Amino acid sequence: MASGGSSANGRSEAEAKAALEVVAKAEAAGIRTVQLQFVDLHGITKSVQIPMHQMPGSIKHGTWFDGSSVEGFTRIAESDQLLRPDMNTWRVLPWAPAESGAGTARVICDVVLPDGGPFAGDPRGVLRRQVERAEKLGYKVNMGPELEFFLFEYDANGRPTATPHDKAGYFDFTGDQGIEIRQDMVDALEALGIKIETAHHEVAPGQHEIDFEYSDALSTADNATTFKYALKEIAKQHGLYASFMPKPIFGINGSGMHTHQSLASLSTGKNVFYDANDKYSLSPIAKSYMAGVLKHARAMIAILAPTVNSYKRLVPGYEAPTYLVWGRRNRSALIRVPMISAGRSVEGTRMELRCPDPSANPYLAFAVMIAAGLDGVENNLELPDPVEESLYEMDAARVAQQGIRELPGSLEEAIAEMTADSVVTGALGDHVLSNFLEAKRAETEAYRIHVSQWELERYLDVY
């Protein structure tokens, strides 16, 4: 085959050669095994470990695995699938370096069918379809999520508890017992190729946030997935548990995944959200994109906040937005347009969607957000006026009088909204949609019939 042609695994010969060179260098440096990683329907990282000598074959032909036991993938009769390594994601795990004698690398994989075609149930593939849709319109989608998390203690039996490891608060220095842990987390993330911007204590006791630099949507979803399991590993080394549960403790702030978004021109590289002549510095494209996100917010919240517990965070009063409005300084709004420092307006103009939480599958979450925004762009949807007054301070009657809608109040309601929206369901595809609905309906039913400790304390000795 001539140089520059395509291999059976969808790579050019030049790409395959470069990939094999990476593997040869890693093997010579003492890397012994590779984790072939992918995610299931819920965004949980799965891994198949292979010795280094098997990696060239994986690059050339893929690695077979049985998808029938992975939730949301396939039935027994169609279980054979292939993992195709994306060598752009090749990293050596910093907690298993070559000098340890157990050197381990990881590579994120696409899930493909035996004939080499894309598997419809692969969350990474779902996102790639929306990225390609944006590219056909001439845009690169940039994403920047902010994942909050808690550090909890283990009990005497080694089980995670909901006991925070400290009692510090927002930006605290004294009393913040997580400073050393966060530094180790930052070091690990940087070693994995994730460029960190800030790290600090969050509002609630034991709650933290580490922010990393934005990038294109697919790379950012890869980074968000890596971020979660890397933080769990480092926390465990310190005898703690890192939890991305949305609302683990009653009465204090839960954890969000505020997601910053913008579009850049593929031809010029310029941020097309910026308009110097607009009082909010927002271009017509930015406003239409935001209008699309607002239009489909109720339908996509089941993906952005996918657990029963998520809706205990999405209540007024805890900095979690529930109202379908936008603003600049209004943190009760669903969408915020952050203020940009002087000199950075062109590249910094963006929208921040504040309702997602870190239990979401990043690939699916980014996919539906892009689909919603592009629907707004393609149909020139009109963005309503901003609301800068705190909606938490308005009574229900006044909110209703202004015609302001809210997000669904439960996962069950969110599922009903999603199934009625062709933009969101179309972005997911039939395979992911049907499996997601099956899993979430089972979750809501299990929750409905569960007898909680709260019910026992409230009713047992009363009736």
Side-chain angles (χ1 to χ4, degrees):
M1 184 180 294
S3 177
S6 295
S7 69
N9 205 19
R11 295 186 180 88
S12 70
E13 284 195 354
E15 289 172 331
K17 182 180 178 181
L20 291 172
E21 288 175 353
V22 169
V23 171
K25 289 178 181 178
E27 190 168 19
I31 301 301
R32 297 175 57 191
T33 60
V34 183
Q35 291 183 7
L36 304 179
Q37 296 182 349
F38 61 104
V39 301
D40 68 7
L41 182 68
H42 306 296
I44 306 301
T45 299
K46 304 293 183 180
S47 178
V48 176
Q49 192 158 335
I50 62 173
M52 279 294 296
H53 63 77
Q54 292 290 341
M55 193 61 198
S58 186
I59 291 171
K60 292 178 181 178
H61 310 295
T63 296
W64 290 100
F65 79 107
D66 180 0
S68 63
S69 297
V70 179
E71 185 165 4
F73 270 42
T74 59
R75 298 183 296 270
I76 295 293
E78 49 191 31
S79 61
D80 286 342
Q81 295 174 329
L82 283 166
L83 295 177
R84 183 168 62 197
D86 180 346
M87 293 302 290
N88 291 320
T89 68
W90 175 274
R91 302 287 186 275
V92 173
L93 296 180
W95 49 86
E99 53 267 29
S100 70
T104 303
R106 80 92 205 265
V107 63
I108 297 174
C109 300
D110 293 306
V111 183
V112 299
L113 299 173
D115 64 3
F119 169 50
D122 179 17
R124 202 167 188 256
V126 171
L127 175 56
R128 182 178 277 109
R129 289 200 299 270
Q130 294 305 312
V131 168
E132 291 173 350
R133 176 185 169 197
E135 289 173 347
K136 289 178 181 177
L137 296 173
Y139 303 124
K140 169 189 173 185
V141 184
N142 287 316
M143 292 280 186
E146 300 173 352
L147 290 89
E148 297 168 333
F149 61 97
F150 281 85
L151 291 177
F152 289 132
E153 297 177 355
Y154 287 96
D155 66 16
N157 297 314
R159 293 187 296 260
T161 71
T163 303
H165 76 115
D166 69 21
K167 299 185 183 301
Y170 191 62
F171 273 32
D172 276 359
F173 182 72
T174 57
D176 177 5
Q177 299 173 21
I179 293 175
E180 179 184 348
I181 303 170
R182 287 201 307 273
Q183 183 59 57
D184 287 349
M185 290 174 168
V186 167
D187 291 344
L189 293 170
E190 292 263 0
L192 287 163
I194 300 174
K195 188 174 181 180
I196 302 303
E197 294 186 331
T198 63
H200 59 86
H201 202 287
E202 259 295 338
V203 174
Q207 189 184 35
H208 305 265
E209 181 177 316
I210 299 175
D211 296 329
F212 55 89
E213 192 174 68
Y214 76 90
S215 186
D216 66 277
L218 189 61
S219 297
T220 301
D222 289 340
N223 287 341
T225 302
T226 302
F227 181 97
K228 290 199 275 189
Y229 76 73
L231 265 56
K232 287 180 180 291
E233 174 64 30
I234 300 304
K236 186 176 181 181
Q237 293 177 9
H238 286 268
L240 297 172
Y241 183 78
S243 176
F244 294 89
M245 181 178 177
K247 186 77 169 183
I249 304 173
F250 169 74
I252 65 174
N253 288 30
S255 292
M257 187 180 72
H258 302 172
T259 304
H260 298 255
Q261 303 168 52
S262 63
L263 299 178
S265 168
L266 285 176
S267 59
T268 67
K270 295 285 184 65
N271 181 359
V272 300
F273 270 22
Y274 175 68
D275 186 342
N277 298 316
D278 182 76
K279 63 179 179 179
Y280 299 106
S281 299
L282 293 173
S283 69
I285 290 173
K287 291 178 179 179
S288 292
Y289 187 99
M290 290 164 59
V293 171
L294 287 175
K295 176 183 176 181
H296 298 288
R298 285 178 59 86
M300 63 181 174
I301 194 62
I303 298 294
L304 307 183
T307 71
V308 166
N309 180 258
S310 297
Y311 297 84
K312 297 182 178 181
R313 167 184 170 259
L314 291 173
V315 295
Y318 294 97
E319 296 190 8
T322 59
Y323 299 104
L324 306 187
V325 299
W326 75 279
R328 169 150 281 176
R329 297 178 179 85
N330 186 359
R331 292 183 178 270
S332 66
L334 195 77
I335 293 176
R336 190 172 74 94
V337 177
M339 299 293 291
I340 309 300
S341 58
R344 295 196 66 243
S345 296
V346 175
E347 69 271 20
T349 299
R350 62 196 186 276
M351 60 152 281
E352 174 193 7
L353 186 63
R354 297 171 58 79
C355 58
D357 71 51
S359 68
N361 181 329
Y363 299 101
L364 299 184
F366 291 0
V368 296
M369 286 188 276
I370 294 169
L374 293 182
D375 181 61
V377 171
E378 290 178 317
N379 291 288
N380 295 312
L381 296 185
E382 186 174 347
L383 184 68
D385 291 334
V387 175
E388 297 296 359
E389 184 178 356
S390 175
L391 294 163
Y392 298 149
E393 298 173 9
M394 292 186 188
D395 59 34
R398 189 176 170 199
V399 170
Q401 187 179 30
Q402 293 195 18
I404 296 172
R405 301 184 73 199
E406 293 188 61
L407 290 173
S410 69
L411 180 58
E412 189 172 20
E413 184 184 351
I415 289 170
E417 289 281 343
M418 182 176 70
T419 56
D421 189 301
S422 60
V423 168
V424 174
T425 58
L428 296 174
D430 291 341
H431 185 107
V432 169
L433 176 65
S434 61
N435 282 277
F436 183 84
L437 290 175
E438 181 181 1
K440 291 304 163 180
R441 283 168 175 158
E443 181 178 337
T444 58
E445 178 62 13
Y447 179 71
R448 186 186 70 82
I449 64 176
H450 174 69
V451 178
S452 68
Q453 186 62 34
W454 181 90
E455 292 168 281
L456 292 174
E457 291 174 357
R458 189 172 184 93
Y459 303 129
L460 188 64
D461 62 352
V462 174
Y463 297 101

